[in-house]
Amino acid sequence: MTQVGVPGRPDGPDTGSGRVVVLGATGFVGGHVGAALDAAGYEVLAVARRPLKTPASWRFRPMDLVHGGPEALTSLIETERPVAIVNAAGEVWSPDAEGMRRNNELLVDRLLAAVAASGARPRLVQLGSVHEYAPQPRGVLLTESSPEEPVSDYGRTKLRGSRAVLRAVRAGEADAVVLRLSNVIGAGTPTASLLGQVAAQLLAGSEDGAPRRCGSRRCAAAVTSSTRGTSPARWSRRCVSPAPRGGC
């Protein structure tokens, strides 16, 4: 997929250790998340359907999370013993409603089944979307208590995935948090997206035609912070209410 911009390497005070599995690590958001975790000192194990280019410091494992069933992921969790799993995989703004159901709902169900079957308890960071909420009138801020009334197939499928994670937390079956991201823009934005089209047009109209460096650091930093630093019990209490908003 064509991309816009040059990815930068996030920096910041967050530091950690251990292995983190990033599902969808070769995608736009997953790539920024992996870079932030790498910079913070984690070992990144990238998981995706297709082996695209990743940094030399990452390990890569090809896996189809939807069609392959949960068994392969269960085996990976048992073998690798990650401290956290970040789910940056999914289907974005597609005319294929069934594809969004598979990749935004079924994938999450299989991820939760794999974690439960593994006997391990890595922290799960599910990347949701602000499109899980109802559209807000102009001038009204979106908050964590805003109505969860999505108006698109994308928002509805993402909401079902988020709710599945939160149900697992309430049942004591997962140590997890949901970060609901706003529309993300930064280096590597796919040109097929609305914001990517705008960026491409701005780039084409620049005087020297040189790529402009722009980072998606807030989202990546929020995910990095969510992989550590708080006891499972405290995360569970925070996740039974509407999911945290991770605006970027």
Side-chain angles (χ1 to χ4, degrees), residues 32 37 103:
H32 281 286
L37 291 166
N103 293 302

Side-chain angles (χ1 to χ4, degrees), residues 43 64 133 169 198 220 225:
E43 177 189 343
D64 189 327
Y133 294 111
V169 171
V198 172
S225 296

Side-chain angles (χ1 to χ4, degrees), residues 12 17 20-22 30 34 41 44 66 68-69 91 97 128 139 159 164 182-183 187 214 229 234 238:
S17 62
V20 178
V21 172
V22 180
V44 176
V66 172
E91 186 87 14
L159 177 60
S182 64
N183 295 323
C214 52
R234 182 177 173 190
R238 290 181 62 185

Side-chain angles (χ1 to χ4, degrees), residues 5 21 26 83 90 95 144 157 165 172 194 200 246:
V21 172
T26 58
V83 298
E144 295 174 21
T157 56
V165 171
L194 173 62

Side-chain angles (χ1 to χ4, degrees), residues 8 102 117:
R102 288 194 306 268

